[in-house]
């Protein structure tokens, strides 16, 4: 397609007109969206696993119901997002295949283990908190189906964050052991949560173009900074601390300074060497294989119906 189409396309974006699936779009825009939306969908589905680990061990019926509802919400998010990606011309089976073959990524955060009950609270507060910070601007993403899917996702994520915070608040007022458990979970989840926002801006190959196309509205570092500013205040309510000796309010910049992120650890997790990468991928591949008979039965039924009609 000639530059004329591209100019018109960029003009539409600049005027805040949503791009819809049947509109003309540059191939690279389509591919960027398929990459981001499918990886987002995979993250929601793989993200069910660390929390699923605690359903049978939730400390009360109330906590169990909340946890079940939250995990089901994550499944729903995955489904809206797969459906949004399908409008760009990729099938759900292709997306699954890319995940199972290790060609498509999912969020680094879900390669960490949930060792104690407090981890479930920390995931709600910190992981869902980071997710909201990143996803609220995606409600204004230039691609219509993605933006619309994100509206409901964000409403649900906001309940997830509150339930996580409330669960930690209860622990933080409990016995010495519960307090220790709460602090330990915060210590282990804090740095991996900062990595969720992606590499620093000067090492993020996709940010510039994605911002020009208004797929992303803020850079990785901008969102990470907003998250630090928010959590550094909320942690005070819990009377807990963040595991960063360099965390300090900077009067001049009107923001919190924080310590160096271990980007080597991030790279290792992305390369498949995180604490739970293998376990997560094995679980997803097994679910796919165990579901083969359902897919076969559904196909056989569809074929029979099409002959009958
Ligand atoms: N993990 O150039 P950039 C949730 C990859 S929330 C793994 O900066 P981009 C809710 C990136 O894909 C979590 N890979 O890339 C929940 C790219 O690789 P590629 C999911 C990462 O796309 C809560 C390369 O590094 N949220 O699930 C990560 O412009 C609790 C270079 O990076 C979303 O997906 C990472 N953390 O910016 C569920 C939000 N960061 O693809 C259950 C939508 C970067 O070229 C329980 N996504 N990479 O091979 C986004 O906003 C963006 O894609 C970013 C990355 C910000 C994640």
């Amino acid at each position: 397609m000639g530059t004329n189409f591209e100019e018109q396309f960029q003009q539409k974006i600049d005027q805040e007109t949503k791009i819809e699936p049947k509109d003309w779009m540059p191939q690279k825009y389509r591919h960027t969206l398929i990459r981001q939306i499918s990886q987002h969908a995979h993250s929601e589905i793989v993200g069910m696993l660390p929390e699923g680990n605690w359903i049978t061990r939730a400390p009360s019926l109330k906590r169990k119901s909340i946890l079940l509802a939250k995990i089901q919400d994550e499944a729903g998010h995955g489904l809206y997002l797969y459906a949004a990606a399908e409008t760009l011309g990729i099938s759900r089976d292709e997306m699954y295949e890319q995940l199972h073959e290790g060609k498509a990524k999912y969020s680094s955060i879900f390669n960490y283990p949930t060792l104690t009950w407090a981890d479930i609270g920390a995931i709600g507060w910190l992981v869902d908190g980071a997710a909201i910070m990143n996803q609220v601007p995606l409600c204004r993403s230039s691609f219509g189906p993605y933006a619309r899917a994100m509206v409901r996702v964000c409403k649900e994520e906001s309940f997830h964050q509150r339930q996580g915070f409330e669960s930690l608040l209860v622990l933080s007022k409990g016995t010495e052991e519960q307090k220790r458990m709460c602090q330990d979970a915060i210590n282990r989840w804090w740095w991996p949560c900062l990595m969720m926002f992606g590499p620093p801006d000067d090492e993020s190959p996709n940010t510039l173009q994605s911002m020009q196309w208004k797929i992303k509205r803020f850079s990785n570092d901008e969102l990470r900074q907003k998250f630090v500013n928010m959590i550094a205040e909320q942690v005070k309510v819990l009377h807990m601390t963040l595991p960063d000796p360099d965390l300090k309010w900077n009067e001049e910049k009107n923001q919190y300074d924080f310590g160096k992120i271990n980007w080597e650890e991030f790279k290792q997790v992305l390369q498949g060497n995180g604490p739970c990468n293998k376990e997560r991928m094995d679980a997803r591949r097994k679910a796919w294989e165990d579901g083969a008979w359902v897919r076969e039965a559904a196909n056989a039924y569809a074929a029979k119906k099409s002959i009958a009609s």
Side-chain angles (χ1 to χ4, degrees):
M1 285 290 165
T3 43
N4 213 7
F5 279 103
E6 285 190 23
E7 275 167 23
Q8 279 172 14
F9 175 81
Q10 188 63 47
Q11 257 171 21
K12 261 171 101 172
I13 302 236
D14 294 342
Q15 288 162 3
E16 300 289 339
T17 305
K18 290 272 179 271
I19 307 299
E20 297 299 338
K22 288 186 176 161
D23 295 347
W24 185 88
M25 60 183 82
Q27 274 302 86
K28 212 176 148 224
Y29 178 84
R30 185 183 299 277
H31 287 145
T32 297
L33 278 167
I34 290 177
R35 176 183 66 77
Q36 177 166 327
I37 303 174
S38 67
Q39 294 187 6
H40 192 167
H42 298 326
S43 304
E44 302 281 355
I45 300 297
V46 177
M48 296 165 75
L49 297 168
E51 290 174 292
N53 183 33
W54 278 89
I55 294 174
T56 55
R57 292 174 290 163
S60 68
L61 183 58
K62 177 183 136 184
R63 295 289 175 202
K64 187 172 176 141
S65 318
I66 295 172
L67 185 58
L68 273 172
K70 177 185 190 303
I71 297 173
Q72 284 177 8
D73 284 352
E74 308 300 0
H77 299 173
L79 299 186
Y80 317 149
L81 288 163
Y82 283 127
E86 279 178 317
T87 67
L88 290 156
I90 185 169
S91 72
R92 202 167 294 203
D93 284 2
E94 281 173 276
M95 288 185 264
Y96 287 147
E97 198 177 306
Q98 289 175 354
L99 175 69
H100 299 153
E101 287 180 358
K103 288 182 191 152
K105 295 186 172 73
Y106 59 89
S107 182
S108 50
I109 194 71
F110 302 118
N111 292 305
Y112 291 84
T114 40
L115 303 178
T116 73
W117 170 251
D119 288 16
I120 299 304
I123 289 182
W125 176 41
L126 297 174
V127 176
D128 286 272
I132 298 172
M133 195 55 89
N134 162 277
Q135 289 172 21
V136 166
L138 293 176
C139 298
R140 293 189 293 124
S141 161
S142 57
F143 185 56
Y146 193 27
R148 290 188 289 271
M150 292 317 297
V151 174
R152 176 153 171 194
V153 169
C154 286
K155 284 187 183 158
E156 292 175 350
E157 298 290 26
S158 133
F159 146 69
H160 296 169
Q161 190 190 21
R162 273 158 180 260
Q163 67 79 36
F165 186 79
E166 192 269 342
S167 168
L168 290 189
L169 191 61
V170 171
L171 289 179
S172 75
K173 290 177 179 161
T175 63
E176 282 311 309
E177 198 186 342
Q178 286 172 321
K179 287 181 193 165
R180 263 201 309 276
M181 211 165 83
C182 181
Q183 182 64 60
D184 169 63
I186 295 170
N187 292 350
R188 282 181 292 106
W189 288 93
W190 175 244
W191 291 105
C193 277
L194 294 188
M195 297 173 195
M196 281 176 75
F197 294 93
D201 291 350
D202 54 8
E203 288 170 36
S204 160
N206 300 300
T207 293
L208 191 64
Q209 179 64 77
S210 286
M211 285 181 71
Q212 271 165 5
W213 279 331
K214 300 192 179 173
I215 294 172
K216 287 167 86 162
R217 297 271 173 170
F218 295 97
S219 74
N220 300 355
D221 284 335
E222 283 169 340
L223 292 172
R224 191 170 9 250
Q225 181 67 55
K226 282 177 182 231
F227 179 71
V228 172
N229 293 348
M230 177 177 83
I231 298 296
E233 289 299 317
Q234 292 180 353
V235 74
K236 293 179 190 168
V237 182
L238 295 175
H239 298 289
M240 296 281 147
T241 55
L242 296 174
D244 179 357
D246 297 323
L247 185 78
K248 206 167 154 253
W249 178 250
N250 184 325
E251 199 69 55
E252 236 167 77
K253 291 189 185 158
N254 202 29
Q255 66 185 32
Y256 276 91
D257 290 335
F258 58 97
K260 278 202 167 54
I261 295 171
N262 182 350
W263 290 114
E264 184 49 35
E265 176 180 323
F266 177 71
K267 277 182 201 145
Q268 285 300 322
V269 174
L270 258 59
Q271 281 169 21
N273 303 324
C276 302
N277 292 60
K278 189 177 174 313
E279 191 182 325
R280 302 292 183 240
M281 286 309 297
D282 286 352
R284 287 315 310 156
R285 288 196 198 100
K286 183 173 182 307
W288 175 252
E289 283 157 17
D290 288 353
W293 70 272
V294 181
R295 293 190 296 277
E296 277 164 26
N299 284 338
Y301 181 71
K304 217 164 132 183
K305 277 211 111 175
S306 74
I307 291 169
S309 63

